[in-house]
Amino acid sequence: MILTVTLNTALDLTYAVPALVPHSSHRVGDVTERPGGKGLNVARVLSALGHDTVVTGFAGGATGAVLRDLLGALPHGPDDALVPVAGNTRRTIAVVDGSTGDTTQLNEPGPHIGSDEWTAFLRTYGELLPGAEAVALCGSLPPGIHVGAYADLIRLARAAGVPTLLDTGGEPLRRGIAARPDLVKPNAHELAQLTGAREPLRATRDARRRGARSVVTSLGPDGLLAVTPDGIWRAAPPSAVRGNPTGAGDSAVAGLLSALAEGLGWQDRLTRAVALSTATVLAPAAGEFDPAAYEDLLTRVTVEQHAAAA
């Protein structure tokens, strides 16, 4: 079983409009709802790849009830181990501009989590760890959760012998990486905030020196850069694609995590991650991927090893 943790779950709403024009009224052509938050997006992709997956984190209020209903309705979807809270789960709204293909994202902050609710989550997390092959800790922290929360969860997983992947930003990333996760996957902006370096290779190396066993940096449409014990790697799609990038980074995490759980090497991990993220950009709805595009991309992603050791 693969466990994903989403402390700040969300109901993802995607609106399609012919063109997004500031200071004007818009008629929405299409609306989709998905259970969201980074870890839930990762879990949905893992389930589609055939992995037994469990999601935990928090869900509450009317929005949380809708999220759990949608999660339960997914065919072959992840198992729900979300912890109920008094506050209302947040919404995220993606507005897709049909004239350009660009997406504008609006993210609510999430409910305040009380100390009793955090204790209930820790109990659930501890019960799930013994059955997990790997754990993904994903996304922002809701109000009320201390910035060292991911660091604590990484230490608990390591004590249970379970490898961890961390995908967050800001101070939670800084604290979490010091707890020595097995893999960290920041984007270029998160990496620059962490290290102060803008050059991707320098910043990725610096991040790894801060405690992570391996660091995989998202380069957006240019693919992934990885600094690992087995070397330095670059992976890229065969060509740039246009579409909705929402969830592409989460699909990359699912690719890395599934390959880690299967014991695959770095070339296969990165190939899968780039193929999944690119196929997600090509899909119409946030957090989904195009299966046919994914299978095609698996044979066309370029992976190069730039150094024998990192």
Side-chain angles (χ1 to χ4, degrees):
M1 175 267 283
I2 297 177
L3 176 63
T4 73
V5 174
T6 312
L7 298 178
N8 209 6
T9 57
L11 179 63
D12 286 344
L13 304 175
T14 302
Y15 294 159
V17 298
L20 183 61
V21 182
H23 316 298
S24 66
S25 178
H26 296 78
R27 187 174 296 278
V28 177
D30 187 46
V31 181
T32 59
E33 287 185 324
R34 297 287 187 277
K38 280 181 173 291
L40 264 69
N41 291 339
V42 170
R44 194 164 52 242
V45 176
L46 287 168
S47 294
L49 293 173
H51 285 272
D52 291 332
T53 310
V54 176
V55 297
T56 191
F58 299 108
T63 308
V66 173
L67 181 151
R68 299 186 83 163
D69 286 344
L70 290 171
L71 186 63
L74 290 173
H76 312 295
D79 291 337
D80 178 353
L82 296 169
V83 175
V85 294
N88 201 37
T89 294
R90 67 187 179 127
R91 296 165 298 175
T92 66
I93 301 172
V95 183
V96 181
D97 185 329
S99 65
T100 64
D102 293 335
T103 300
T104 299
Q105 191 85 15
L106 304 173
N107 297 327
E108 296 179 355
H112 185 277
I113 304 300
S115 58
D116 289 347
E117 292 166 336
W118 177 245
T119 299
F121 166 78
L122 288 177
R123 183 166 56 250
T124 297
Y125 182 70
E127 291 169 352
L128 291 168
L129 275 178
E133 301 168 87
V135 175
L137 305 165
C138 303
S140 61
L141 299 178
I145 299 296
H146 63 288
V147 294
Y150 282 137
D152 291 345
L153 299 181
I154 289 165
R155 294 186 185 101
L156 289 170
R158 190 170 65 247
V162 181
T164 52
L165 184 153
L166 177 63
D167 182 14
T168 189
E171 191 61 21
L173 173 60
R174 189 181 306 276
R175 300 284 188 94
I177 203 170
R180 296 186 287 123
D182 293 87
L183 178 58
V184 175
K185 197 215 73 66
N187 59 36
H189 175 69
E190 292 163 344
L191 196 64
Q193 281 189 317
L194 175 69
T195 66
R198 296 287 176 181
E199 198 282 314
L201 179 57
R202 178 181 176 185
T204 304
R205 280 175 157 161
D206 187 353
R208 184 168 180 258
R209 284 194 291 268
R210 292 167 183 257
R213 179 172 174 79
S214 299
V215 179
V216 177
T217 301
S218 172
L219 304 176
D222 295 325
L224 299 173
L225 168 66
V227 178
T228 80
D230 298 328
I232 298 170
W233 309 75
R234 288 184 185 267
S239 60
V241 297
R242 292 185 62 184
N244 182 359
T246 304
D250 303 329
S251 290
V253 169
L256 293 168
L257 197 64
S258 62
L260 172 65
E262 293 171 28
L264 301 181
W266 276 105
Q267 179 157 339
D268 292 325
R269 293 185 200 181
L270 295 169
T271 296
R272 184 178 293 181
V274 171
L276 279 170
S277 62
T278 306
T280 299
V281 174
L282 294 170
E288 306 293 338
F289 69 93
D290 184 321
Y294 168 60
E295 292 296 334
D296 175 62
L297 286 160
L298 281 175
T299 65
R300 300 196 295 126
V301 170
T302 301
V303 180
E304 297 178 349
Q305 186 175 10
H306 287 255

